[in-house]
Amino acid sequence: MSGGGVNLKRLFLSRQIYEDCPSMEMTLPTHVIANYVLLDHCRGPSRMRVLGNGSHGNVMQLEYEGGHRIALKNQQATPHALTSLRVAAALKSARVVKFRPLVFRDRLLTFMSVVQGDLETQRKEAGVSKWRKKHADTFIRFLEELLACLGARGAYYPDMKLANVAYCNDSGNVSFSVIDVDSFNGHIATFPLREEWTIYHYASAAEGLIQTKYACAVTALLYHRPNDWPGFAYGKRYRSTEANVDVLRQFCTTKAIAGSATAKFILGIADEVTSAINAV
């Protein structure tokens, strides 16, 4: 089991960490989690699978014979990634997946609570449209609560998208959480409000937050119509900001969405984005 040139099992054997870890709770000390996750008393995980592929590292799910599971992201320990994790930890939000980071040399290992998968991957599954319709209001509450938390903390998450949102169904109790925890206060946006904001250092937290809101509105649309957004800021597919906002408004007039919590959420952000555009 290796990643980025680091043999993870050898890494923790060399540190001689042998404390027992009876559960996968993220409240445990990081070295205790690391011991169980990467060694399981020198046996290692019985099964591994990729939960998601990111530009900065893959998220793996590790499964053990005792039934425990946990997610692990292995990536380069860049200054930005470390700063983003500090921002995520300071939020203390239930809308962010529970995680514990560990830095070893030039690697950043982020242990996370297990989720079922991300919403981008989920869209390929059978019956997903019916499931999403049933839990649409829950998804909007997740976005609203996340934005409120970010605004209160002076933070932002410009690269909101389906791939960065995890879902979990615990005995019928569905929840959503941000899984890409090293993107807080970032500079990359898959759905930029302005073309130049694709890779951008925001002048203020307020500027970063308006981009976050816009990306959340696009993500709310894609939750229902995952193939219905050509508004990327590159190549011939790019549309103007005003045109993209019009698409958001038009979506809210469709029979299935009009009057719903999703429509109210998107229209509120569309109004705010329009005010921000006019203020420039």
Side-chain angles (χ1 to χ4, degrees):
M1 179 173 58
S2 63
V6 177
N7 185 305
L8 301 180
K9 191 165 186 177
R10 183 180 302 167
L11 183 161
F12 284 96
L13 279 170
S14 68
R15 291 172 66 85
Q16 298 183 1
I17 302 170
Y18 296 111
E19 289 85 352
D20 188 22
C21 180
S23 72
M24 292 288 96
E25 293 297 326
M26 291 296 104
T27 53
L28 289 166
T30 301
H31 70 279
V32 176
I33 297 172
N35 173 55
Y36 191 97
V37 169
L38 300 177
L39 295 181
D40 190 23
H41 304 291
C42 300
R43 289 194 303 273
S46 57
R47 183 170 177 261
M48 296 185 293
R49 70 182 180 93
V50 177
L51 284 177
N53 296 305
S55 56
H56 300 293
N58 294 339
V59 178
M60 304 290 297
Q61 178 175 289
L62 311 181
E63 300 180 9
Y64 296 85
E65 291 180 359
H68 293 316
R69 297 179 299 163
I70 199 167
L72 169 66
K73 184 173 184 177
N74 177 18
Q75 66 188 103
Q76 189 78 18
T78 64
H80 170 68
L82 297 175
T83 298
S84 294
L85 288 179
R86 284 192 286 270
V87 172
L91 291 175
K92 301 183 185 301
S93 173
R95 298 310 180 184
V96 178
V97 70
K98 294 180 180 179
F99 70 95
R100 297 298 294 271
L102 178 67
V103 177
F104 183 79
R105 296 177 182 170
D106 65 338
R107 304 305 299 174
L108 170 61
L109 308 177
T110 306
F111 305 103
M112 295 174 283
S113 299
V114 163
V115 295
Q116 286 181 258
D118 67 78
L119 291 179
E120 177 65 24
T121 303
Q122 185 209 36
R123 71 189 183 92
K124 303 173 186 176
E125 299 175 2
V128 67
S129 295
K130 184 177 180 180
W131 186 93
R132 288 192 176 184
K133 182 178 180 180
K134 179 179 179 180
H135 301 293
D137 288 356
T138 301
F139 182 64
I140 293 300
R141 283 195 297 273
F142 152 72
L143 292 175
E144 290 174 336
E145 292 173 10
L146 177 66
L147 287 173
C149 182
L150 291 172
R153 296 281 184 173
Y156 48 94
Y157 194 83
D159 199 27
M160 175 57 72
K161 55 186 175 181
L162 293 177
N164 288 347
V165 179
Y167 67 95
C168 186
N169 188 348
D170 185 8
S171 301
N173 183 27
V174 173
S175 62
F176 301 95
S177 59
V178 174
I179 193 171
D180 193 15
V181 291
D182 54 13
S183 290
F184 285 93
N185 288 19
H187 310 301
I188 297 175
T190 300
F191 307 117
L193 175 59
R194 304 180 186 281
E195 185 175 9
E196 64 270 24
W197 283 10
T198 307
I199 301 177
Y200 186 75
H201 291 264
Y202 300 95
S204 65
E207 193 174 65
L209 187 60
I210 194 68
Q211 161 59 35
T212 303
K213 291 180 178 180
Y214 174 74
C216 283
V218 175
T219 302
L221 180 153
L222 291 172
Y223 177 87
H224 293 275
R225 294 183 176 179
N227 298 312
D228 196 25
W229 190 258
F232 297 90
Y234 58 80
K236 297 180 180 179
R237 301 179 68 193
Y238 181 70
R239 295 184 305 216
S240 69
T241 300
E242 291 82 359
N244 282 331
V245 173
D246 285 344
V247 170
L248 291 173
R249 292 186 187 279
Q250 291 167 14
F251 169 70
C252 294
T253 65
T254 59
K255 184 177 179 180
I257 300 300
S260 67
T262 298
K264 293 175 183 177
F265 175 77
I266 292 176
L267 289 173
I269 290 177
D271 289 342
E272 192 170 349
V273 167
T274 300
S275 296
I277 294 171
N278 294 334
V280 176

